Amino acid sequence: MTQLESCTLQPHSVHVTLKPRPPLINPPPDYLYFAVFVTLCCFWPTGLVAIFRSMDVRKASAGGDSYAAVEASHSVKQLSWISVGIGLTIISIVILFYIISQKA
C-alpha cells in the first residue's frame, strides 16, 4: 500500500483477454495479378513493392483488420498504376530514341 496525502492506493493487476478477430467476410481486392504483371512487363522496382503490399492485404484480411486491408489494397493499386506509367514512359523514350537514331 502506498499512502498519498488523503488517497490510499492498493496495487492490483488487470487481466485483459483479447479474442482473435475472424477473417473478413468481404475482403478488399489484393490486385496480386496486376502487381505481378507490372513487375514483369513494366517497371519492376515499384511492382515488387506492390507485390509485398498485396501480401499485406491478405494478412490484414485474414486477421480481420479491415482498415489495414483497405489501406494496403489502395496502395497496391496505386503502385501498380505508377509502374504502368513509368514503364510506358520508358518504352516511349526508347522508341523515340530509336526513331531519331534511324533518321540520323
Side-chain angles (χ1 to χ4, degrees), residues 79-90:
L79 285 166
S80 296
W81 281 112
I82 288 171
S83 294
V84 168
I86 293 172
L88 290 176
T89 302
I90 291 171

Side-chain angles (χ1 to χ4, degrees), residues 48-87:
L48 197 60
V49 175
I51 290 174
F52 288 127
R53 292 294 288 164
S54 178
M55 295 298 124
D56 292 342
V57 174
R58 290 185 179 195
K59 288 178 195 173
S61 295
D65 190 356
S66 63
Y67 179 77
V70 169
E71 185 74 24
S73 177
H74 177 71
S75 175
V76 173
K77 188 176 180 181
Q78 190 174 30
L79 285 166
S80 296
W81 281 112
I82 288 171
S83 294
V84 168
I86 293 172

